[in-house]
Amino acid sequence: MIKKIIEIVEKIDTSQVFSELSDAQSGGICVFVGTVREFTQGEQVVSLEFETYEKMALKEMDKIATTAVTKWNLNKVIIRHAIGLKNVAEPVVIVGASSGHRDACFEACRFLIDTLKETVPIWKKERFENKSVWVSAHP
Amino acid sequence: MIKKIIEIVEKIDTSQVFSELSDAQSGGICVFVGTVREFTQGEQVVSLEFETYEKMALKEMDKIATTAVTKWNLNKVIIRHAIGLKNVAEPVVIVGASSGHRDACFEACRFLIDTLKETVPIWKKERFENKSVWVSAHP
Amino acid sequence: MEILLFGIAKDIVGQAQLRFSATEETPTSVGALKTMIGEKYPEFTKLSSLAIAVNSEYAEDDVSLNRNDEIAIIPPVSGG
Amino acid sequence: MEILLFGIAKDIVGQAQLRFSATEETPTSVGALKTMIGEKYPEFTKLSSLAIAVNSEYAEDDVSLNRNDEIAIIPPVSGG
């Protein structure tokens, strides 16, 4: 049985995630999807562009998943990130966990996305009408 | 634009929920699915059976959704519960929220499922091999 | 007066509704209804909790009951 | 020695890789590499943070570098 799904993809299909995390020993599945928001700090975003150091990103994502499985005794876990150009409302990342009870999957899901944002080598460029900016690059 | 989806259904289709919650003003979508767990306190469950006082349940679900939308400034919210006979690993409830930032949708999603379990008139009977029990009925 | 029964309440009474005929004395408040059903069906007093809904809203003990109200016994809920 | 560049690091240097020819002096530790690129491209010193990966793992300043290592400059990440 596949316990961890760790992937970097061109396009995220959100329709299969609950089937992927479904499990007879789980009473709860929690999933977070990050999507492209139209406005950031009042400025209209045209699109986002993601790039990655793929080999390292997959390693870091796998570490996060393994830590979460151990800490919260998860039955299944998924971390999938998209790269390339993404338009408003498109999904860019999906993380999720299934566990016996809901406390564990909620806490794990929050940990997965928070830690991904801190450690996984993926970079996001926000494209506005007249400029583009690498997010978080400068203080 | 539909902001709240409140439903009691025979069968939950998890594949559409992220499309239903998708929104240009949202950067995050959090969804929780409750599923039938095979073992509860060491005993093997054959199936669960849900019944409801539908008119009142929909009212209570709507109150929960409205409270969450106001408190966390949600863009969209969904509460959908299944009734009837459910087998192991089947979804029985799905709740979710989309919001500008992830704090709000995580907190709201947790509130939705916790409050639903406390106030919505839905009853679950666990069917085991040799007996069946109305959950939470007795201290 | 007709009272809707759900979940274990239906099992305790043995039917889906509790009926008071026109000539029977009916409870005039939520509190009186709780006392009455607890006396008639002692199993109700053993539940973790017992609530009454009047016109599909939770109602406190001091809410009065009218013949045309939609009344329901709400045993401990367990959705989700 | 070849150093992979991503995100804003690629923009600062103007290409996807930073190459040291066989005759050039190469940095012998992560810390030395950071100092060297900060001097050659002052824009690196203005970033919120700057990390180095050696063989696709984050590496502290005291980690030594060998010609065959896969080395990458990791500017502030912003996935999710």
Side-chain angles (χ1 to χ4, degrees):
Chain A
M1 196 186 71
I2 294 166
K3 197 177 187 90
K4 288 186 293 182
I5 298 175
I6 305 294
E7 282 179 354
I8 289 177
V9 296
E10 290 298 318
K11 201 168 169 61
I12 286 177
D13 172 9
T14 55
S15 73
Q16 295 307 309
V17 68
F18 291 106
S19 310
E20 291 172 318
L21 290 168
S22 177
D23 178 79
Q25 306 315 320
S26 292
I29 304 173
C30 185
V31 173
F32 173 82
V33 173
T35 55
V36 181
R37 204 172 60 244
E38 190 176 5
F39 287 90
T40 185
Q41 290 159 343
E43 290 190 277
Q44 189 163 11
V45 172
V46 175
S47 62
L48 295 185
E49 195 177 349
F50 289 88
E51 70 168 65
T52 186
Y53 177 14
E54 184 162 347
K55 191 202 310 194
M56 182 177 173
L58 290 171
K59 267 193 193 178
E60 291 293 326
M61 286 156 72
D62 192 71
K63 284 180 199 170
I64 297 168
T66 301
T67 302
V69 165
T70 307
K71 181 161 182 186
W72 286 283
N73 194 21
L74 304 176
N75 293 317
K76 290 192 181 174
V77 63
I78 194 163
I79 305 179
R80 184 179 281 138
H81 204 296
I83 51 165
L85 208 65
K86 301 297 155 203
N87 297 314
V88 169
E90 266 194 271
V92 301
V93 63
I94 190 163
V95 298
S98 72
S99 56
H101 297 276
R102 70 189 186 283
D103 275 346
C105 66
F106 266 103
E107 286 174 24
C109 193
R110 187 66 205 254
F111 168 83
L112 294 174
I113 187 64
D114 287 358
T115 314
L116 179 149
K117 283 171 175 273
E118 283 167 16
T119 66
V120 177
I122 295 177
W123 297 273
K124 169 167 55 193
K125 189 183 244 178
E126 286 174 339
R127 297 180 177 278
F128 300 98
E129 195 59 52
N130 298 309
K131 62 172 178 178
S132 61
V133 179
W134 287 106
V135 177
S136 303
H138 294 103
Chain B
M1 195 186 71
I2 295 168
K3 198 179 187 89
K4 286 186 294 182
I5 299 175
I6 305 294
E7 281 179 355
I8 289 176
V9 297
E10 290 298 319
K11 202 168 166 63
I12 286 177
D13 173 10
T14 56
S15 73
Q16 296 306 307
V17 67
F18 291 106
S19 310
E20 292 171 318
L21 291 168
S22 176
D23 178 80
Q25 306 315 317
S26 293
I29 304 174
C30 185
V31 173
F32 173 82
V33 173
T35 55
V36 181
R37 205 171 60 244
E38 191 177 4
F39 286 89
T40 184
Q41 292 160 341
E43 290 189 277
Q44 189 163 12
V45 172
V46 175
S47 62
L48 294 185
E49 193 177 352
F50 289 88
E51 68 168 67
T52 185
Y53 177 14
E54 182 161 350
K55 192 203 308 193
M56 181 177 173
L58 290 169
K59 267 193 191 177
E60 291 294 324
M61 285 156 73
D62 192 71
K63 283 180 199 169
I64 297 169
T66 301
T67 302
V69 165
T70 307
K71 181 161 181 185
W72 286 283
N73 194 23
L74 304 176
N75 293 316
K76 291 193 179 171
V77 63
I78 194 163
I79 306 179
R80 184 178 281 138
H81 205 296
I83 50 163
L85 208 65
K86 302 298 155 202
N87 297 315
V88 169
E90 266 195 271
V92 300
V93 62
I94 189 162
V95 299
S98 72
S99 57
H101 297 276
R102 70 188 186 284
D103 274 347
C105 66
F106 266 103
E107 287 175 22
C109 192
R110 186 67 206 251
F111 168 83
L112 294 174
I113 186 64
D114 287 358
T115 315
L116 178 147
K117 283 171 174 274
E118 283 168 14
T119 66
V120 177
I122 295 176
W123 297 273
K124 169 168 52 192
K125 189 185 246 178
E126 286 173 339
R127 297 181 176 278
F128 300 96
E129 195 60 50
N130 297 310
K131 62 172 178 179
S132 62
V133 178
W134 287 105
V135 177
S136 302
H138 293 104
Chain C
M1 184 177 272
E2 220 177 76
I3 296 169
L4 306 174
L5 303 171
F6 298 97
I8 198 168
K10 209 164 52 180
D11 290 357
I12 290 172
V13 176
Q15 53 196 42
Q17 298 193 337
L18 196 58
R19 254 171 250 266
F20 293 87
S21 68
T23 56
E24 265 181 299
E25 198 186 337
T26 57
T28 56
S29 73
V30 166
L33 171 59
K34 284 184 183 173
T35 305
M36 186 178 287
I37 60 170
E39 283 167 1
K40 197 162 174 188
Y41 305 97
E43 286 297 317
F44 278 118
T45 62
K46 299 181 189 163
L47 299 179
S48 319
S49 69
L50 186 64
I52 304 294
V54 178
N55 299 320
S56 58
E57 299 278 355
Y58 284 106
E60 299 292 324
D61 282 2
D62 59 1
V63 170
S64 57
L65 301 178
N66 300 303
R67 280 205 172 260
N68 297 327
D69 288 334
E70 182 172 305
I71 301 167
I73 295 180
I74 311 291
V77 301
S78 51
Chain D
M1 182 176 277
E2 218 177 78
I3 296 169
L4 305 174
L5 303 170
F6 298 97
I8 197 167
K10 208 162 53 177
D11 291 357
I12 289 172
V13 176
Q15 53 197 41
Q17 299 193 337
L18 196 58
R19 255 173 250 265
F20 292 88
S21 68
T23 57
E24 263 180 300
E25 198 185 338
T26 56
T28 56
S29 72
V30 167
L33 172 59
K34 284 183 183 173
T35 305
M36 185 179 287
I37 60 172
E39 282 167 1
K40 195 161 176 192
Y41 305 96
E43 286 297 316
F44 277 117
T45 63
K46 300 180 189 162
L47 299 179
S48 320
S49 68
L50 186 64
I52 303 294
V54 178
N55 300 322
S56 57
E57 299 278 355
Y58 285 106
E60 299 294 323
D61 283 1
D62 59 2
V63 170
S64 58
L65 300 179
N66 300 303
R67 279 205 172 260
N68 295 329
D69 288 334
E70 181 172 305
I71 301 165
I73 296 180
I74 310 291
V77 301
S78 52

